[in-house]
Amino acid sequence: MKSQHLSMTNEEFKRMPKELGWKHEYYGDKAHIRPGHAIVLTTVMVKPRSVTAPCLIRPAKKADIPSLLPAYFAAFAETADYCDYPPDYVQKRAEEDLVSHFAGKRGNPVTTSQVAVVSNKDGIEEPIGAILIVEKEEAPLVDLLFVVPEWQHKGVATALAATALNELHAAGIKKLHSRFLLANAGSRRWHHHFGFEDEMDLWVQQAYLRHRLDELERHELIHHLTDAQYEALQEEIALRREIVKTLDEISKTQGLDAVLLHT
């Protein structure tokens, strides 16, 4: 995935839809569009889930690293997470992330981590995705979650997460954290559809507010919303303003660390 640099007029730029989590700038008679860096911390309560898997789901193990490398690369190479990075960098990160995960450098890996596998034409087991979880002080954290493109939107990620959640529930765990890049629309939609809820973070809420304000400005130019949609947008903007105001006030009294979430 590459940043976009599109020739257009300033008027055309103002009318252009803006993607949530992406930076949209206009200079040199061009629109310059690249992903932002906002990372969302999100949480789901651990409860039993039914599992409908389109493939075999089994526990992840360190020996999976070599076969998981191509799956990681395929899943992330064309996402906003690695926008503008060359393939060799993504390959390097794949190895670093997987090796460091199983070595415990990103938190102690937990046994609830899962791998999705299918058999290739030679009958050899081939990973197509994984959910790798690590221990953290407050709650376990999804360290890595990925599915190869040809198996996305087929329930693999949901089956992986549901299987892991059932094992966490059996172990008495109450909640699970995860993270996603706000600019990664696919990851954002999956997390919210699965039931993850975003934790309050000043930079993330500012990004949501900017996006909705951009949408309001666009509507005032081209009137693309119904009355009901316009009213809902105004209500959301008012809510986002209050959230940002509250978080900003907390930052002034308690410091930025109080409103910027890290795990």
Side-chain angles (χ1 to χ4, degrees), residues 150-246:
E150 58 267 34
W151 278 89
Q152 292 174 8
H153 311 296
K154 295 182 179 180
V156 177
T158 297
L160 284 165
T163 301
L165 235 59
N166 289 341
E167 296 202 12
L168 289 170
H169 180 264
I173 303 299
K174 302 301 183 183
K175 62 183 178 179
L176 174 67
H177 288 316
S178 187
R179 296 171 296 194
F180 60 84
L181 182 70
L182 187 61
N184 188 330
S187 182
R188 183 178 72 243
R189 285 192 293 264
W190 179 86
H191 276 86
H192 292 163
H193 184 265
F194 188 82
F196 282 91
E197 295 184 1
D198 300 350
E199 299 287 344
M200 287 298 171
D201 178 285
L202 177 58
W203 288 351
V204 171
Q205 291 302 318
Q206 287 174 334
Y208 273 112
L209 177 59
R210 283 195 300 271
H211 178 259
R212 305 320 284 157
L213 288 171
D214 284 338
E215 188 66 2
L216 177 62
E217 181 179 354
R218 193 166 79 92
H219 171 71
E220 291 172 346
L221 288 171
I222 63 176
H223 303 287
H224 67 297
L225 300 174
T226 65
D227 289 345
Q229 290 172 329
Y230 178 56
E231 182 178 346
L233 176 60
Q234 289 181 310
E235 290 176 355
E236 183 182 353
I237 287 173
L239 176 61
R240 297 286 182 187
R241 283 190 193 277
E242 285 302 312
I243 292 173
V244 168
K245 180 181 177 182
T246 298

Side-chain angles (χ1 to χ4, degrees), residues 50-213:
S50 61
V51 179
T52 303
C55 59
L56 174 65
I57 306 294
R58 63 156 174 79
K61 52 186 184 294
K62 186 176 181 180
D64 290 320
I65 291 177
S67 57
L68 280 173
L69 288 171
Y72 179 114
F73 178 83
F76 283 112
E78 291 299 320
T79 65
D81 304 70
Y82 289 107
C83 184
D84 295 327
Y85 284 99
D88 59 345
Y89 177 81
V90 184
Q91 291 277 16
K92 180 181 178 182
R93 280 297 304 270
E95 183 172 2
E96 289 176 350
D97 286 354
L98 289 168
V99 169
S100 62
H101 169 85
F102 284 101
K105 295 180 180 180
R106 302 158 69 91
N108 290 329
V110 300
T111 58
T112 54
S113 295
Q114 304 290 322
V115 172
V117 298
V118 295
S119 295
N120 63 23
K121 61 182 181 180
D122 298 318
I124 298 174
E125 187 181 88
E126 184 176 281
I128 59 169
I131 183 169
L132 305 179
I133 302 172
V134 294
E135 293 179 355
K136 291 292 182 179
E137 184 175 347
E138 183 182 351
L141 170 71
V142 177
D143 184 27
L144 295 167
L145 172 61
F146 55 89
V147 175
V148 299
E150 58 267 34
W151 278 89
Q152 292 174 8
H153 311 296
K154 295 182 179 180
V156 177
T158 297
L160 284 165
T163 301
L165 235 59
N166 289 341
E167 296 202 12
L168 289 170
H169 180 264
I173 303 299
K174 302 301 183 183
K175 62 183 178 179
L176 174 67
H177 288 316
S178 187
R179 296 171 296 194
F180 60 84
L181 182 70
L182 187 61
N184 188 330
S187 182
R188 183 178 72 243
R189 285 192 293 264
W190 179 86
H191 276 86
H192 292 163
H193 184 265
F194 188 82
F196 282 91
E197 295 184 1
D198 300 350
E199 299 287 344
M200 287 298 171
D201 178 285
L202 177 58
W203 288 351
V204 171
Q205 291 302 318
Q206 287 174 334
Y208 273 112
L209 177 59
R210 283 195 300 271
H211 178 259
R212 305 320 284 157
L213 288 171

